[in-house]
Amino acid sequence: MWRLARSAAANLRRSPRRFSTAIPGPCIVHKRGADILHDPWFNKDTAFPITERDRLGLRGLLPPRVISFEHQHDRFMESYRSLERNTKGHPDGFVSLAKWRILNRLHDRNETLYYRVLIDNIEDFAPIIYTPTVGLVCQNYSGLFRRPRGMYFSAKDKGEMMSMIYNWPAQKVDMIVLTDGSRILGLGDLGVQGIGIPIGKLDVYVAAAGINPQRILPIMLDVGTNNEKLLQDPLYLGLRQPRLEGEEYLSIVDEFMEAVHERWPKAIVQFEDFQMKWAFETLQRYRKKFCMFNDDIQGTAGVALAGLLGTVRAQGLPLTDFVNQKIVVVGAGSAGLGVLNMAKQAVSRMVGGEAHPHFFLLDKDGLITRARKDIDPSAAPFAKTPGEIEGLGLKEGASLIEVVKKVKPDVLLGLSGVGGIFNEEVLKAMQESDSAKPAIFAMSNPTMNAECTAVDAFKHAGEKIVFASGSPFKNVDLGNGKVGHVNQANNMYLFPGIGLGALVSGARVISDGMLQAAAECLASYITEEEIQRGILYPSVKSIRDITAQIGTAVCRAAVAEELAEGRCEVGPKELMHMSKEETVEYVKSSMWYPIYSPLVHEK
């Protein structure tokens, strides 16, 4: 394990108002020779200094020249650029997987260099380790599998999880990302192959939030799969059985959550890509008992809310005008409902009481109203009454084009998972919006599931729109020197800061107030000049600073709500008396950065 010569807690003891970035001290290893070279935690490849080679039994096992960390970084990037040049003209999927493989090989060999490469080149590599390539990796995971990462708990392990959790070698775990593989992005049930999502998310946690990579844990909860293609695939690595349902399913998740928090009571668990019924059920079941959140419901909602608030600013209106925004949401899954719930909370806060926002929710059967039979309980609060839509000439099950034409929304927001559902007719109808600068959010992932492309949005809906997508698209050349800005409404702007803020504050739970603080902080990060150019989200290049600011907002919200218990020797009283600037400094000082530590052998 890394040992830090100084820590935030030590700094606080010396001065309660000054923090400095931790400097890595010597790291004790219990290995020598080739065993060190085969351990990615300790391996430095050709960067081992001569004195270290002597004391660790490495002399002769490496080429004689010592290469600096910076030179190693540059050499890898040259290999990566060479790969880009040599794969030009090949299909996008082939190129993306080739890039993923070269990064994965580095991850397998040298963890410290891997994370340095990610942090220094996050704009290049975020689409490879995360959206959209991670979806392709999950689809092909059984064939790509080379070595295990994380842990796998299955339905066959019932009754054994409390002992199994101790098989993980790390004594401390701060952040866990958990999936059951039931709804991977917009790709559906991928079973055990969904482990690629927690792995990718946690790499983002390290790169963006500075979570120590020795304290992260990706976990797959394999309760079977209903994907017949996978069940028939001889390479499939998961359980060959239908998914558990009902109490059988919940008993497995219950046992897992109890086991995790028995060993690591302060670990934060992020639920990821659970099908809707279990996403909402598990969130309500655990959120008041454990420090956990669901990124699809709450993270997506926060990023969307930040974009919606930015849209109001882009329209030249005060933020309080958000209560008057007409928003059409296409997709009544966990993400769509999460956005509406958080948006409704924001409206309620603005009006200081019960709100009746102008939200219209559609699913595959059209507009959802109270007239619908067997309406999902989670969608019921957003179902329109006959009185609310009669004047618009709408009725139960009205189509998307009907709703857009009659409502003339300020915002059209897609979380449907249906690629191209915002077709030419729908986009042209948005030109009749009551807003001078309507917004189109095509937020479904991966790219093939996006409701529309950026090019089509600007072509058919007009140049005045504000556009955001879940997957990355290039800015659109509108001619005459004008640019249609593409905003990537990506969860990576928010979930790392939520996790970091909860961690450094020692929050008992993650509250709605903490999530609202995160969304509002992201919304306020953009300058007025950028907003007027149609930019709603900051550059991914500044993701560490964004995350530090959001982490600070979350930490301070936890303190204000008396949910913070402190971390290490930074207790709730110290947190309470910190100014905002001091909290930012404390949060930044808690972020890990990859530097080679001197290795000292101990038997």
Side-chain angles (χ1 to χ4, degrees):
M1 302 292 289
W2 300 109
R3 283 214 237 156
L4 302 182
R6 291 186 292 166
S7 66
N11 288 322
L12 187 62
R13 284 199 302 273
R14 283 195 293 274
S15 169
R17 293 292 180 266
R18 291 194 62 80
F19 304 92
S20 59
T21 303
I23 299 172
C27 181
I28 306 299
V29 295
H30 303 284
K31 300 178 178 183
R32 285 178 59 82
D35 287 341
I36 289 178
L37 299 180
H38 294 153
D39 188 328
W41 285 118
F42 303 123
N43 184 29
K44 303 179 186 178
D45 291 318
T46 52
F48 284 102
I50 297 300
T51 53
E52 207 163 63
R53 297 183 188 200
D54 285 339
R55 69 173 177 264
L56 297 175
L58 295 174
R59 190 182 278 266
L61 301 183
L62 292 163
R65 185 181 171 197
V66 177
I67 303 294
S68 70
F69 198 9
E70 289 69 25
H71 192 168
Q72 285 182 322
H73 172 279
D74 293 344
R75 186 170 61 180
F76 175 82
M77 289 306 299
E78 177 52 39
S79 297
Y80 182 79
R81 299 301 178 208
S82 176
L83 173 69
E84 285 187 315
R85 292 191 294 270
N86 293 335
T87 54
K88 268 189 177 177
H90 286 76
D92 289 345
F94 174 86
V95 175
S96 295
L97 285 179
K99 291 178 177 179
W100 180 85
R101 284 190 181 97
I102 192 173
L103 277 170
N104 200 51
R105 287 196 294 270
L106 178 61
H107 197 177
D108 287 343
R109 188 179 74 247
N110 185 331
E111 293 257 1
T112 311
L113 181 58
Y114 172 73
Y115 286 115
R116 178 67 173 271
V117 163
L118 285 193
I119 291 169
D120 290 357
N121 305 275
I122 190 64
E123 197 171 34
D124 287 325
F125 293 137
I128 305 302
I129 63 167
Y130 187 45
T131 305
T133 302
V134 69
L136 191 60
V137 170
C138 288
Q139 287 177 299
N140 296 275
Y141 193 77
S142 293
L144 293 170
F145 180 86
R146 294 294 179 271
R147 56 174 286 174
R149 271 192 221 291
M151 291 193 76
Y152 299 78
F153 291 81
S154 81
K156 303 293 185 185
D157 299 320
K158 189 170 173 56
E160 301 295 331
M161 295 184 193
M162 195 65 77
S163 57
M164 282 174 63
I165 198 71
Y166 286 90
N167 290 341
W168 188 249
Q171 293 303 307
K172 293 183 179 179
V173 167
D174 291 332
M175 188 64 58
I176 292 169
V177 177
L178 168 74
T179 188
D180 69 351
S182 59
R183 191 201 61 80
I184 298 300
L185 302 175
L187 302 170
D189 182 353
L190 294 184
V192 78
Q193 300 190 162
I195 186 64
I197 293 291
I199 292 169
K201 290 273 185 178
L202 284 165
D203 278 349
V204 174
Y205 263 116
V206 176
I211 305 297
N212 189 319
Q214 286 200 331
R215 295 188 177 189
I216 61 174
L217 177 53
I219 291 182
M220 162 54 60
L221 201 61
D222 185 2
V223 293
T225 179
N226 294 332
N227 186 325
E228 284 299 324
K229 185 179 178 182
L230 290 179
L231 291 173
Q232 301 303 319
D233 184 350
L235 292 179
Y236 181 61
L237 297 171
L239 292 181
R240 294 178 181 274
Q241 66 176 51
R243 284 190 170 274
L244 295 184
E245 294 292 343
E247 289 303 317
E248 273 191 301
Y249 174 89
L250 287 172
S251 68
I252 295 292
V253 190
D254 283 346
E255 183 179 341
F256 166 77
M257 291 295 284
E258 293 290 348
V260 162
H261 287 89
E262 175 66 27
R263 185 173 184 197
W264 301 300
K266 289 287 189 179
I268 298 162
V269 180
Q270 176 177 316
F271 277 59
E272 193 68 44
D273 286 0
F274 283 67
Q275 60 182 304
M276 187 177 84
K277 64 178 179 180
W278 295 129
F280 280 101
E281 173 77 19
T282 53
L283 180 61
Q284 297 309 317
R285 193 177 184 89
Y286 305 124
R287 69 175 308 189
K288 293 183 179 178
K289 187 177 181 182
F290 304 113
C291 193
M292 59 80 64
F293 70 106
N294 184 298
D295 187 46
D296 302 300
I297 298 173
Q298 297 164 300
T300 300
V303 172
L305 177 60
L308 294 174
L309 295 174
T311 296
V312 177
R313 291 173 64 196
Q315 294 166 352
L317 300 170
L319 282 180
T320 51
D321 202 70
F322 181 60
V323 301
N324 300 316
Q325 293 275 296
K326 292 181 293 185
I327 302 173
V328 171
V329 175
V330 184
S334 55
L337 293 174
V339 170
L340 287 177
N341 276 308
M342 187 171 279
K344 185 177 180 180
Q345 289 170 15
V347 171
S348 296
R349 248 189 3 271
M350 288 177 181
V351 301
E354 184 63 25
H356 300 281
H358 309 292
F359 300 158
F360 298 79
L361 177 63
L362 291 85
D363 64 4
K364 60 183 177 60
D365 297 315
L367 180 65
I368 298 175
T369 75
R370 301 280 175 86
R372 182 175 297 193
K373 295 178 181 179
D374 302 321
I375 189 169
D376 188 286
S378 301
F382 304 103
K384 289 297 185 187
T385 64
E388 290 177 297
I389 60 174
E390 278 175 3
L392 295 170
L394 293 171
K395 59 183 179 180
E396 161 62 33
S399 68
L400 173 58
I401 186 62
E402 287 178 301
V403 173
V404 171
K405 284 184 174 180
K406 301 283 181 144
V407 173
K408 299 182 180 180
D410 300 285
V411 180
L412 176 61
L413 193 153
L415 281 161
S416 64
V418 181
I421 195 171
F422 295 173
N423 57 29
E424 181 177 343
E425 187 180 11
V426 169
L427 292 171
K428 283 184 174 178
M430 282 297 291
Q431 292 191 35
E432 304 303 317
S433 165
D434 286 336
S435 172
K437 192 175 282 189
I440 296 171
F441 286 60
M443 293 183 65
S444 290
N445 284 316
T447 308
M448 66 181 182
N449 292 91
E451 284 76 11
C452 67
T453 66
V455 170
D456 283 347
F458 283 101
K459 178 181 178 181
H460 300 306
E463 298 179 2
K464 293 181 180 179
I465 64 167
V466 175
F467 179 80
S469 59
S471 291
F473 288 103
K474 291 181 179 178
N475 287 339
V476 178
D477 182 358
L478 302 176
N480 299 319
K482 295 180 181 179
V483 175
H485 285 282
V486 174
N487 296 281
Q488 191 179 359
N490 197 306
N491 288 20
M492 74 176 290
Y493 283 117
L494 214 64
F495 72 78
I498 295 170
L500 178 62
L503 180 66
V504 297
S505 66
R508 292 193 300 277
V509 296
I510 295 175
S511 68
D512 287 338
M514 292 162 68
L515 296 164
Q516 289 278 349
E520 289 171 6
C521 178
L522 177 59
S524 66
Y525 196 88
I526 296 297
T527 66
E528 200 60 37
E529 180 188 355
E530 290 170 320
I531 283 288
Q532 294 310 314
R533 287 161 51 204
I535 298 173
L536 303 180
Y537 299 101
S539 168
V540 172
K541 289 180 181 178
S542 53
I543 192 65
R544 278 217 155 196
D545 184 64
I546 297 164
T547 300
Q549 297 297 328
I550 292 172
T552 296
V554 171
C555 177
R556 290 177 68 79
V559 172
E561 294 182 40
E562 298 184 350
L563 295 173
E565 296 181 342
R567 184 176 184 231
C568 300
E569 294 181 33
V570 182
K573 287 185 178 179
E574 288 83 358
L575 289 171
M576 190 180 300
H577 290 100
M578 286 184 195
S579 67
K580 181 180 177 181
E581 292 72 22
E582 289 163 345
T583 309
V584 171
E585 191 178 351
Y586 166 57
V587 169
K588 287 184 175 179
S589 74
S590 302
M591 297 169 77
W592 177 87
Y593 189 77
I595 300 172
Y596 285 141
S597 293
L599 302 183
V600 178
H601 178 256
E602 185 178 273
K603 293 182 179 179

